[in-house]
Amino acid sequence: MPSRSGTRRKASRRAILKSALAGIATLAAPPVLGQAKAHVIVIGGGFAGATCARRLKAADGTIAVTLVEPNARFTACPFSNAVIAGLRPIEAQYFGYDGVKQAGVDIAGQIVVAIEAEARQVHFADGARLDYQRLVLAPGIDIRFDALPGYDQTAAEIMPHAWKAGAQTLLLRRQLEAMADGGVVVLSAPANPFRCPPGPYERASLIAYYLKTKKPRSKLILLDAKDTFSKQRLFEAAWKTLYPGLIEWVPLSGGGRVIEIDAKTRTLVTEFGSHLADVANVIPPQRAGAVAIAAGVADQTGWCPIDPHTFESKLVPNIHVIGDAAIAGAMPKSAFAANAQAKVCADMIASLIRGEDPREVKLINTCYSLVAPDYGISVAGVYAPRDGLLTEIKEAGGVSPLEAPAAQREAEATYAQAWFQTITREVFG
Ligand SMILES: Cc1cc2nc3c(=O)[nH]c(=O)nc-3n(C[C@H](O)[C@H](O)[C@H](O)COP(=O)(O)OP(=O)(O)OC[C@H]3O[C@@H](n4cnc5c(N)ncnc54)[C@H](O)[C@@H]3O)c2cc1C
């Protein structure tokens, strides 16, 4: 049973939200410290933001938590490469927010357009405002449409990036289906850092699986702005066995960096020449979601430096940044990492609100990749704050063995599925 004051607090929060959602500019009263009442706003209902909002309520039920997310339905990127390869329906990627609501989080179906850090206030697209004591930014990535000449939003409708799951995923899927047998698929991968370091190589693998089984005279060229990539030896060994002669990886030193795009002719231009594609998947450079830039928490790299203990911005106080938008040192930009960071950040915010000192933390990441439906590989790492960054603890992680029986690869493909079910149930269920 909630206390009388607890009920009143809930009612007043609802009133604030209701008027915010109704588009009425609202100035909420600042939280009164000492009465155990604080308001935390979390922007972005993805793996990082939805986890953080739920964990805050679990850590301290007296904290009022508002999750701001414009979409009623989240579309997950992990396993979206399997959608592109025709191995899974897009519906399997959709998740709603009922579970988050039931956990006691208020949901504002809004988009945040501005943040006034000094006033501790967020501004919604419809003109409404909401006060916070602490703010968590978890907006994920935005594509840098200014970074690759010729690649703008119109070009992305012809040569999809499919690096935000949804319409772009389906567009690439349809293009592969429409391509004639014997066609050339060209995929381009960006320089570090970017969302999901093994993602382009998993995508190349699963597209190769589709081509091998449905359009065997076709070919895939993977143009890369790097000379090395995540789980490289494992991917290359698997490609040799599963897709001999089908995938051509062109590294940076071999002229793999794409410097220009001509969408009209579906051409990717590199320093060494041009590649004409029947289907082109351009994965361009990225940066933190626009709201992080607007809040002033991103530096010149386009990403957000944070204190590795609390995830508080190094640039703006009382704002924390988690997930892909953050510069998390050696931690990769993954859903697993976003979820781990969100839990630590939520616990730290609850401690800070109670006036306690931050604790020592360790964070884990594991990234599974499918090379074929029954062939999985993984990399795992453990991270801790050191010298102002999250650094990898040596000898604590590892990758799948290079030599392994088929049964082990099959088991890892099953673990990948189980991981996705577990994380999505925990975050959205
Ligand atoms: C093809 C592909 C495969 C992947 N596979 C894996 C995998 O196997 N394992 C793994 O761990 N990771 C994987 N990833 C990476 C993973 O998807 C991301 O690292 C993860 O989604 C990051 O979580 P996030 O919460 O930071 O961002 P997101 O999950 O993108 O969530 C950001 C949310 O913020 C919202 N938002 C943005 N701006 C605003 C605003 N102004 N106001 C309100 N809301 C806003 C967005 O609508 C969105 O819902 C993959 C990625 C890709 C592209």
Side-chain angles (χ1 to χ4, degrees), residues 325-343:
I327 301 174
M331 270 193 113
K333 298 187 186 301
S334 76
F336 196 119
N339 175 261
Q341 293 165 11
K343 289 171 183 166

Side-chain angles (χ1 to χ4, degrees), residues 43-49 68-71 74 76-81 97 110-113 138-141 162-164 195-196 199 202-203 289-291 322-325 333-338 365-369 419:
I43 299 178
F47 285 101
V68 188
E69 167 61 55
N71 303 308
F74 179 70
C77 283
F79 276 85
S80 64
N81 286 333
Y97 290 99
Q110 290 268 4
I111 186 147
V112 171
V113 289
I141 58 147
W163 221 237
K164 286 186 173 198
R195 159 175 281 184
C196 194
E202 179 188 70
R203 179 169 292 173
V291 71
I322 52 175
D324 283 0
K333 298 187 186 301
S334 76
F336 196 119
N365 176 66
T366 306
C367 279
Y368 292 98
S369 301
W419 165 76

